[in-house]
């Protein structure tokens, strides 16, 4: 399973209706730490596809979704269950840290 590209238009449908928890990566093209986290998020999406759904949302082109979740800094990683945020992580992290973040919150 690959990473789902999220937008303001499909966010509720993809996140709220998911039967699995959803990890959402809030990022922007100009963000250096986001570029470091991006490949890690893609690896995690492949490795954890049985347990979670993974999406990425560009905060520059999807301001409404970022504002709704009060995303002030990027990268921000949120885990949603049944459409509600259950965990958040702000800033870059290693693959091991991301795996631990997911495992402790799903």
């Amino acid at each position: 399973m690959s990473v789902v590209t999220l937008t303001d238009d499909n966010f509720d449908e993809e996140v709220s209706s998911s039967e699995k928890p959803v990890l959402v990566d809030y990022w922007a093209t100009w963000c250096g730490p986001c570029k470091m986290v991006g490949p890690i998020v893609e690896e995690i999406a492949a490795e954890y596809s049985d347990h979670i759904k993974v999406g990425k949302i560009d905060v520059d082109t999807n301001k409404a979704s970022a504002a709704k979740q009060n995303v002030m800094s990027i990268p921000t990683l949120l885990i949603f269950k049944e459409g509600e945020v259950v965990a958040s992580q702000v800033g870059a992290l290693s693959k091991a840290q991301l795996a631990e973040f997911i495992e402790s919150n799903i």
Side-chain angles (χ1 to χ4, degrees):
M1 172 150 181
S2 62
V3 176
V4 177
T5 300
L6 299 171
T7 65
D8 285 344
D9 293 333
N10 74 358
F11 190 90
D12 286 338
E13 177 185 338
E14 292 287 347
V15 175
S16 299
S17 67
S18 177
E19 294 178 12
K20 294 189 245 182
V22 183
L23 173 70
V24 179
D25 176 13
Y26 291 82
W27 69 285
T29 55
W30 50 264
C31 169
C34 299
K35 291 178 184 175
M36 293 181 347
V37 171
I40 296 169
V41 169
E42 291 177 16
E43 288 177 32
I44 290 289
E47 293 173 19
Y48 284 78
S49 63
D50 291 345
H51 307 290
I52 62 168
K53 180 177 188 176
V54 177
K56 292 177 66 93
I57 186 161
D58 184 331
V59 298
D60 285 338
T61 56
N62 299 284
K63 291 178 175 33
S65 294
K68 184 176 180 184
Q69 300 306 328
N70 296 316
V71 173
M72 300 293 174
S73 300
I74 52 174
T76 291
L77 299 164
L78 300 180
I79 295 178
F80 292 81
K81 286 185 183 174
E82 298 174 3
E84 299 295 321
V85 176
V86 295
S88 64
Q89 173 70 43
V90 178
L93 63 172
S94 69
K95 184 174 179 182
Q97 289 170 317
L98 179 54
E100 183 179 322
F101 171 65
I102 292 167
E103 289 169 12
S104 64
N105 290 293
I106 59 170

